[in-house]
Short mmCIF file of all heavy atoms in Angstrom, two decimals:
data_model
loop_
_atom_site.label_atom_id
_atom_site.label_comp_id
_atom_site.label_asym_id
_atom_site.label_seq_id
_atom_site.Cartn_x
_atom_site.Cartn_y
_atom_site.Cartn_z
N GLY A 35 158.49 152.17 161.28
CA GLY A 35 158.85 153.58 161.38
C GLY A 35 158.35 154.38 160.19
O GLY A 35 157.24 154.90 160.18
N ALA A 36 159.16 154.43 159.14
CA ALA A 36 158.81 155.23 157.96
C ALA A 36 157.49 154.80 157.35
O ALA A 36 156.75 155.63 156.81
CB ALA A 36 159.93 155.12 156.93
N ALA A 37 157.17 153.50 157.44
CA ALA A 37 155.91 153.01 156.85
C ALA A 37 154.71 153.72 157.47
O ALA A 37 153.74 154.02 156.76
CB ALA A 37 155.80 151.50 157.05
N PHE A 38 154.75 153.97 158.79
CA PHE A 38 153.62 154.62 159.44
C PHE A 38 153.46 156.07 158.96
O PHE A 38 152.34 156.55 158.80
CB PHE A 38 153.80 154.61 160.96
CG PHE A 38 153.79 153.23 161.57
CD1 PHE A 38 154.69 152.89 162.55
CD2 PHE A 38 152.90 152.27 161.13
CE1 PHE A 38 154.68 151.62 163.13
CE2 PHE A 38 152.87 151.00 161.68
CZ PHE A 38 153.78 150.68 162.68
N PHE A 39 154.58 156.75 158.74
CA PHE A 39 154.53 158.13 158.25
C PHE A 39 153.96 158.16 156.82
O PHE A 39 153.12 159.02 156.50
CB PHE A 39 155.93 158.76 158.27
CG PHE A 39 156.47 159.01 159.65
CD1 PHE A 39 157.11 158.02 160.37
CD2 PHE A 39 156.33 160.25 160.25
CE1 PHE A 39 157.61 158.24 161.65
CE2 PHE A 39 156.83 160.49 161.52
CZ PHE A 39 157.47 159.49 162.22
N LEU A 40 154.42 157.24 155.98
CA LEU A 40 153.92 157.18 154.61
C LEU A 40 152.44 156.83 154.58
O LEU A 40 151.67 157.39 153.79
CB LEU A 40 154.72 156.15 153.81
CG LEU A 40 156.18 156.48 153.53
CD1 LEU A 40 156.89 155.28 152.93
CD2 LEU A 40 156.31 157.69 152.61
N TRP A 41 152.04 155.91 155.46
CA TRP A 41 150.64 155.48 155.52
C TRP A 41 149.74 156.64 155.93
O TRP A 41 148.68 156.87 155.34
CB TRP A 41 150.52 154.33 156.50
CG TRP A 41 149.16 153.70 156.58
CD1 TRP A 41 148.29 153.75 157.62
CD2 TRP A 41 148.52 152.89 155.59
NE1 TRP A 41 147.16 153.04 157.35
CE2 TRP A 41 147.27 152.49 156.11
CE3 TRP A 41 148.90 152.45 154.33
CZ2 TRP A 41 146.40 151.68 155.39
CZ3 TRP A 41 148.02 151.66 153.60
CH2 TRP A 41 146.79 151.28 154.15
N ASP A 42 150.17 157.41 156.92
CA ASP A 42 149.39 158.55 157.37
C ASP A 42 149.26 159.59 156.25
O ASP A 42 148.19 160.15 156.04
CB ASP A 42 150.04 159.18 158.60
CG ASP A 42 149.25 160.36 159.13
OD1 ASP A 42 148.19 160.14 159.76
OD2 ASP A 42 149.68 161.51 158.93
N LYS A 43 150.36 159.83 155.54
CA LYS A 43 150.32 160.78 154.44
C LYS A 43 149.36 160.32 153.35
O LYS A 43 148.60 161.12 152.78
CB LYS A 43 151.72 160.93 153.87
CG LYS A 43 151.90 162.13 152.96
CD LYS A 43 151.88 163.44 153.72
CE LYS A 43 152.18 164.62 152.81
NZ LYS A 43 152.13 165.92 153.56
N ALA A 44 149.38 159.01 153.05
CA ALA A 44 148.49 158.47 152.03
C ALA A 44 147.04 158.66 152.42
O ALA A 44 146.20 159.06 151.61
CB ALA A 44 148.79 156.99 151.81
N LEU A 45 146.71 158.39 153.70
CA LEU A 45 145.32 158.51 154.15
C LEU A 45 144.86 159.95 154.14
O LEU A 45 143.68 160.23 153.94
CB LEU A 45 145.20 157.91 155.56
CG LEU A 45 145.32 156.39 155.63
CD1 LEU A 45 145.40 155.94 157.08
CD2 LEU A 45 144.16 155.70 154.93
N LYS A 46 145.77 160.88 154.38
CA LYS A 46 145.41 162.30 154.37
C LYS A 46 145.11 162.80 152.95
O LYS A 46 144.36 163.75 152.77
CB LYS A 46 146.52 163.14 154.99
CG LYS A 46 146.57 163.09 156.53
CD LYS A 46 147.70 163.98 157.05
CE LYS A 46 147.58 164.22 158.55
NZ LYS A 46 147.70 163.02 159.37
N LEU A 47 145.71 162.16 151.96
CA LEU A 47 145.59 162.65 150.59
C LEU A 47 144.63 161.85 149.72
O LEU A 47 144.15 162.35 148.71
CB LEU A 47 146.98 162.65 149.91
CG LEU A 47 148.04 163.58 150.49
CD1 LEU A 47 149.37 163.38 149.76
CD2 LEU A 47 147.60 165.04 150.36
N GLY A 48 144.38 160.58 150.10
CA GLY A 48 143.66 159.70 149.20
C GLY A 48 142.34 159.18 149.70
O GLY A 48 141.84 159.59 150.75
N ASP A 49 141.78 158.26 148.94
CA ASP A 49 140.51 157.60 149.23
C ASP A 49 140.79 156.34 150.03
O ASP A 49 141.48 155.43 149.56
CB ASP A 49 139.82 157.25 147.90
CG ASP A 49 138.41 156.68 148.10
OD1 ASP A 49 138.18 155.98 149.11
OD2 ASP A 49 137.55 156.91 147.23
N ALA A 50 140.26 156.25 151.26
CA ALA A 50 140.54 155.13 152.14
C ALA A 50 140.12 153.80 151.53
O ALA A 50 140.75 152.77 151.77
CB ALA A 50 139.84 155.33 153.49
N ARG A 51 139.05 153.80 150.71
CA ARG A 51 138.60 152.57 150.09
C ARG A 51 139.63 152.04 149.10
O ARG A 51 139.95 150.85 149.07
CB ARG A 51 137.25 152.79 149.39
CG ARG A 51 136.12 153.20 150.31
CD ARG A 51 134.95 153.75 149.51
NE ARG A 51 135.34 154.93 148.73
CZ ARG A 51 134.50 155.64 147.99
NH1 ARG A 51 133.22 155.30 147.92
NH2 ARG A 51 134.93 156.69 147.31
N GLN A 52 140.15 152.94 148.28
CA GLN A 52 141.14 152.53 147.29
C GLN A 52 142.45 152.11 147.95
O GLN A 52 143.09 151.13 147.57
CB GLN A 52 141.39 153.67 146.31
CG GLN A 52 140.18 154.04 145.47
CD GLN A 52 140.44 155.19 144.53
OE1 GLN A 52 141.55 155.70 144.46
NE2 GLN A 52 139.41 155.61 143.81
N ILE A 53 142.86 152.86 148.98
CA ILE A 53 144.10 152.54 149.68
C ILE A 53 143.97 151.19 150.39
O ILE A 53 144.91 150.39 150.42
CB ILE A 53 144.44 153.65 150.69
CG1 ILE A 53 144.81 154.93 149.91
CG2 ILE A 53 145.59 153.23 151.60
CD1 ILE A 53 144.96 156.15 150.79
N GLY A 54 142.79 150.92 150.95
CA GLY A 54 142.56 149.63 151.60
C GLY A 54 142.71 148.47 150.63
O GLY A 54 143.25 147.41 150.98
N ILE A 55 142.24 148.64 149.40
CA ILE A 55 142.36 147.59 148.41
C ILE A 55 143.80 147.41 147.96
O ILE A 55 144.29 146.29 147.79
CB ILE A 55 141.42 147.88 147.23
CG1 ILE A 55 139.96 147.77 147.69
CG2 ILE A 55 141.69 146.93 146.07
CD1 ILE A 55 138.96 148.33 146.73
N LEU A 56 144.52 148.52 147.80
CA LEU A 56 145.95 148.42 147.46
C LEU A 56 146.72 147.65 148.52
O LEU A 56 147.73 147.00 148.22
CB LEU A 56 146.55 149.83 147.30
CG LEU A 56 146.26 150.58 146.00
CD1 LEU A 56 146.83 151.99 146.08
CD2 LEU A 56 146.84 149.84 144.81
N SER A 57 146.24 147.70 149.76
CA SER A 57 146.92 147.05 150.86
C SER A 57 146.99 145.53 150.70
O SER A 57 147.78 144.87 151.38
CB SER A 57 146.24 147.39 152.19
OG SER A 57 146.23 148.78 152.39
N TYR A 58 146.17 144.98 149.83
CA TYR A 58 146.23 143.54 149.61
C TYR A 58 147.54 143.12 148.96
O TYR A 58 147.87 141.93 148.91
CB TYR A 58 145.06 143.09 148.74
CG TYR A 58 143.78 142.92 149.51
CD1 TYR A 58 142.68 143.73 149.25
CD2 TYR A 58 143.68 141.98 150.52
CE1 TYR A 58 141.52 143.59 149.96
CE2 TYR A 58 142.52 141.83 151.24
CZ TYR A 58 141.43 142.63 150.95
OH TYR A 58 140.28 142.50 151.67
N LEU A 59 148.31 144.08 148.46
CA LEU A 59 149.63 143.75 147.94
C LEU A 59 150.59 143.36 149.08
O LEU A 59 151.60 142.68 148.83
CB LEU A 59 150.20 144.96 147.19
CG LEU A 59 149.52 145.33 145.87
CD1 LEU A 59 150.01 146.69 145.39
CD2 LEU A 59 149.78 144.26 144.82
N THR A 60 150.28 143.76 150.31
CA THR A 60 151.19 143.50 151.43
C THR A 60 151.43 142.01 151.66
O THR A 60 152.59 141.57 151.69
CB THR A 60 150.67 144.16 152.73
OG1 THR A 60 150.38 145.53 152.48
CG2 THR A 60 151.70 144.05 153.83
N PRO A 61 150.38 141.18 151.83
CA PRO A 61 150.67 139.76 152.05
C PRO A 61 151.31 139.09 150.85
O PRO A 61 152.13 138.18 151.01
CB PRO A 61 149.27 139.16 152.33
CG PRO A 61 148.32 140.13 151.73
CD PRO A 61 148.95 141.46 151.91
N LEU A 62 151.00 139.54 149.64
CA LEU A 62 151.62 138.96 148.46
C LEU A 62 153.12 139.26 148.45
O LEU A 62 153.95 138.35 148.30
CB LEU A 62 150.96 139.53 147.20
CG LEU A 62 151.67 139.16 145.88
CD1 LEU A 62 151.55 137.68 145.60
CD2 LEU A 62 151.12 139.98 144.73
N CYS A 63 153.48 140.55 148.63
CA CYS A 63 154.89 140.94 148.60
C CYS A 63 155.65 140.32 149.76
O CYS A 63 156.80 139.90 149.61
CB CYS A 63 155.02 142.46 148.63
SG CYS A 63 154.31 143.30 147.20
N SER A 64 155.02 140.27 150.92
CA SER A 64 155.67 139.69 152.10
C SER A 64 155.96 138.22 151.88
O SER A 64 157.06 137.73 152.17
CB SER A 64 154.75 139.87 153.32
OG SER A 64 155.33 139.27 154.46
N THR A 65 154.98 137.49 151.35
CA THR A 65 155.16 136.06 151.10
C THR A 65 156.22 135.82 150.03
O THR A 65 157.07 134.92 150.14
CB THR A 65 153.83 135.41 150.68
OG1 THR A 65 152.85 135.66 151.68
CG2 THR A 65 153.99 133.92 150.47
N ALA A 66 156.19 136.63 148.96
CA ALA A 66 157.17 136.48 147.89
C ALA A 66 158.59 136.73 148.39
O ALA A 66 159.53 136.01 148.03
CB ALA A 66 156.84 137.44 146.75
N LEU A 67 158.76 137.73 149.25
CA LEU A 67 160.09 138.02 149.79
C LEU A 67 160.56 136.90 150.70
O LEU A 67 161.74 136.52 150.66
CB LEU A 67 160.05 139.35 150.57
CG LEU A 67 161.39 139.82 151.14
CD1 LEU A 67 162.41 139.99 150.03
CD2 LEU A 67 161.20 141.13 151.90
#
């Protein structure tokens, strides 16, 4: 839910290349949790 809204806002404001690289934190955080 909220993640999709935040993601859309990020893509509208930022550089898709940089945001894509930040996304690598997802599997790390998910696995750690």
Side-chain angles (χ1 to χ4, degrees):
F38 295 139
F39 291 84
L40 292 171
W41 185 249
D42 181 74
K43 194 71 175 179
L45 290 171
K46 283 181 166 63
L47 296 176
D49 186 326
R51 297 165 301 183
Q52 296 179 2
I53 293 171
I55 292 166
L56 282 175
S57 301
Y58 280 116
L59 291 169
T60 309
L62 171 68
C63 296
S64 177
T65 303
L67 183 58

